[in-house]
């Protein structure tokens, strides 16, 4: 069987959740693939960062040039499917070639744009809706990353439930682990981060509820004036970032909110390990990989009840009501002042993260790709 995999997104040098998903699934499939199968990694740039293929008759890279920065999947990959079609194609994220083979499998991570359309530009909203409808109509099978997201696809688009397969995501267990405090301190010093702090990683935008997080943290500091915790935000600015900046100034948090921008993956486990708590305030999540990364590092989690978060974190998080600053403030006070609670959350997280692995995700994905059933 010849299986093609879209690798352009997983090949990006700076990855977010969906890119890491594709990257790890590809790397794990390499380990378990049947020697009788052949794989093609389609990319627009030379493969890098471990995706490179060693001399191997079963794996090859196919570089497909494209003159514009957008629509590579719908355009250039479509041309490849027209001329040289494999037996099956796997697209790890939210897009599908217009021209495609019958056994095309696409991962739709979530449809948050339907729940919060105001957080997207008119053009982006149109594109996301069109792409999701096209995938549901034309893909042989759809993979999604949580039961929550599967239910969203059925409810909002009328997608056939039997066509949708749930594969929970994983984490890099070699990287995300409990680390000795002395090692943690060295890396934090390098990044000029001082303890104690609350930690967040992700895009800095309204969908992730960061304006509310800043407001809650500001009011928490006003209420607890002797508290010494800072708030460390790792990630790039996103939609409505200006409101985040306004709230920082409004609550006089310039010295208490530390924005690092993008940080290399090697440093992130140390940020988790050094944190008094990890906060995940999202208004919507299809899965939330940072949750299991925090669990694996033994970091207590304070999270909203939105989307798939309770499905992923289960009893390994302290929850607050998603749109309530008061509820988030109470959560901060509880998790930072209650050592017994932090210990219970830490233990629950270390146990819970064992349910997730990229090896499992890849194995399920390969089984779906090789299945002969088509709906």
């Amino acid at each position: 069987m010849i299986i093609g995999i879209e690798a352009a997104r997983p090949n990006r040098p700076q990855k977010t959740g969906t890119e890491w998903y594709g990257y790890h699934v590809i790397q794990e499939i390499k380990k378990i693939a049947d020697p009788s199968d052949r794989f093609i990694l389609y990319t627009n740039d030379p493969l890098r960062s471990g995706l490179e293929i060693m001399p191997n008759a079963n794996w090859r890279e196919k570089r497909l040039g494209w003159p514009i920065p957008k629509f590579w999947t719908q355009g250039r990959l479509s041309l490849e499917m027209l001329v040289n079609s494999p037996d099956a194609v796997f697209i790890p994220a939210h897009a599908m070639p217009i021209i495609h083979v019958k056994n095309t499998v696409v991962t739709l991570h979530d449809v948050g744009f339907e729940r919060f359309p105001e957080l997207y530009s008119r053009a982006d909203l149109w594109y996301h809706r069109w792409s999701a409808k096209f995938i549901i109509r034309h893909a042989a099978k759809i993979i999604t990353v949580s039961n929550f997201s599967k239910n969203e696809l059925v409810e909002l688009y009328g997608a056939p439930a039997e066509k949708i397969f749930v594969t929970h995501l994983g984490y890099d267990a070699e990287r995300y682990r409990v680390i000795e405090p002395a090692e943690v301190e060295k890396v934090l010093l390098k990044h000029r981060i001082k303890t104690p702090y609350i930690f967040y990683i992700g895009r800095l935008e309204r969908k992730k509820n960061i304006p509310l997080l800043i407001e809650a943290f500001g009011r928490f500091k006003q209420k607890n004036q002797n508290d010494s915790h800072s708030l460390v935000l790792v990630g790039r600015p996103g939609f409505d970032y200006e409101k985040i900046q306004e709230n920082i100034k409004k609550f006089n948090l310039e010295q208490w909110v530390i924005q690092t921008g993008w940080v290399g993956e090697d440093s992130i486990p140390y940020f988790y390990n050094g944190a008094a708590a990890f906060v995940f305030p999202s208004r919507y999540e299809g899965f939330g990989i940072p949750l299991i990364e925090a669990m694996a590092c033994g970091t207590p989690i304070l999270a909203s009840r939105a989307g798939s978060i309770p499905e992923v974190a289960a009893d390994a998080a302290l929850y607050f009501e998603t749109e309530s600053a008061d509820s988030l403030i109470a959560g901060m006070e509880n998790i930072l002042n209650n050592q017994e609670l932090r210990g219970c959350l830490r233990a629950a997280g270390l146990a819970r993260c064992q349910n997730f692995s990229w090896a499992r995700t890849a194995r399920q994905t390969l089984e779906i790709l090789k299945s002969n059933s088509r709906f």
Side-chain angles (χ1 to χ4, degrees):
M1 186 176 187
I2 301 174
I3 299 173
I5 302 177
E6 185 268 294
R9 288 178 181 82
N11 194 43
R12 289 175 179 171
Q14 295 185 7
K15 301 175 181 59
T16 56
T18 54
E19 287 94 13
W20 278 119
Y21 160 75
Y23 175 90
H24 285 295
V25 169
I26 290 171
Q27 297 298 69
E28 293 297 329
I29 288 178
K30 287 179 181 178
K31 300 175 185 177
I32 62 174
D34 190 316
S36 65
D37 292 326
R38 290 161 53 199
F39 294 83
I40 304 170
L41 296 183
Y42 300 112
T43 178
N44 54 346
D45 293 316
L47 294 177
R48 59 172 76 89
S49 304
L51 283 177
E52 302 92 338
I53 298 169
M54 302 298 289
N56 188 323
N58 297 93
W59 288 81
R60 68 188 181 100
E61 168 188 345
K62 193 154 192 182
R63 210 174 305 164
L64 306 174
W66 187 240
I68 59 176
K70 293 186 177 182
F71 306 115
W72 178 87
T73 301
Q74 290 91 345
R76 183 61 183 90
L77 196 53
S78 285
L79 294 177
E80 183 65 18
M81 296 300 99
L82 180 64
V83 177
N84 299 298
S85 58
D87 299 313
V89 170
F90 173 48
I91 310 293
H94 288 89
M96 183 174 174
I98 304 297
I99 302 169
H100 48 272
V101 301
K102 288 184 178 180
N103 190 16
T104 296
V105 179
V106 184
T107 301
L108 268 174
H109 293 258
D110 67 63
V111 287
F113 51 88
E114 292 289 6
R115 296 301 189 188
F116 297 97
E118 70 277 10
L119 304 184
Y120 296 80
S121 69
R122 183 176 298 179
D124 284 346
L125 182 60
W126 177 89
Y127 170 76
H128 283 303
R129 283 175 170 166
W130 173 85
S131 183
K133 291 175 182 177
F134 187 86
I135 290 166
I136 290 167
R137 188 177 304 117
H138 295 285
K141 285 157 273 189
I142 297 167
I143 293 174
T144 195
V145 297
S146 63
N147 291 302
F148 167 79
S149 284
K150 177 175 180 174
N151 293 336
E152 289 278 88
L153 291 174
V154 173
E155 177 184 343
L156 296 172
Y157 289 97
E162 66 274 12
K163 183 177 179 175
I164 305 170
F165 299 80
V166 174
T167 64
H168 284 143
L169 304 185
Y171 71 102
D172 186 340
E174 293 184 4
R175 178 174 276 143
Y176 293 93
R177 67 195 194 283
V178 177
I179 303 172
E180 289 294 327
E183 296 180 48
V184 173
E185 187 176 353
K186 289 179 184 177
V187 174
L188 295 181
L189 184 62
K190 174 184 170 184
H191 289 277
R192 299 180 181 178
I193 303 296
K194 296 180 180 178
T195 57
Y197 63 89
I198 303 168
F199 179 51
Y200 165 82
I201 184 170
R203 197 170 291 277
L204 307 181
E205 61 184 4
R206 203 196 312 173
K207 178 184 170 184
K208 299 296 186 180
N209 221 7
I210 307 307
L212 184 83
L213 172 60
I214 300 300
E215 176 190 344
F217 183 66
R219 290 170 54 192
F220 167 80
K221 297 295 281 187
Q222 290 174 346
K223 185 178 178 183
N224 302 272
Q225 294 187 7
N226 293 325
D227 180 84
S228 59
H229 290 84
S230 58
L231 176 62
V232 175
L233 307 176
V234 173
R236 299 189 191 92
F239 185 87
D240 211 13
Y241 177 70
E242 296 78 11
K243 180 63 176 177
I244 296 169
Q245 295 294 83
E246 287 177 14
N247 279 357
I248 289 173
K249 292 179 181 177
K250 177 180 177 181
F251 291 96
N252 300 312
L253 294 173
E254 288 86 351
Q255 66 171 324
W256 294 108
V257 175
I258 301 166
Q259 301 180 66
T260 67
W262 181 85
V263 172
E265 188 80 2
D266 288 343
S267 296
I268 300 302
Y270 297 87
F271 281 64
Y272 280 115
N273 272 268
F278 172 66
V279 61
F280 203 62
S282 294
R283 300 172 73 186
Y284 188 99
E285 284 290 338
F287 186 85
I289 291 175
L291 291 166
I292 48 177
E293 292 174 345
M295 293 179 208
C297 292
T299 310
I301 296 172
L302 174 61
S304 74
R305 295 185 184 276
S308 65
I309 293 174
E311 178 182 340
V312 175
D315 63 349
L318 175 67
Y319 295 100
F320 68 91
E321 299 306 319
T322 308
E323 302 296 340
S324 171
D326 290 338
S327 180
L328 178 49
I329 293 166
M332 288 181 182
E333 291 176 336
N334 198 359
I335 203 167
L336 296 179
N337 296 324
N338 189 330
Q339 186 173 352
E340 182 179 354
L341 172 63
R342 290 201 306 275
C344 290
L345 292 174
R346 173 186 169 91
L350 289 170
R352 176 71 179 161
C353 71
Q354 301 304 311
N355 295 315
F356 305 96
S357 75
W358 287 123
R360 179 185 178 188
T361 308
R363 183 176 65 254
Q364 293 172 333
T365 302
L366 195 55
E367 289 171 357
I368 294 165
L369 277 164
K370 297 189 70 173
S371 169
N372 291 324
S373 60
R374 184 175 187 271
F375 297 96

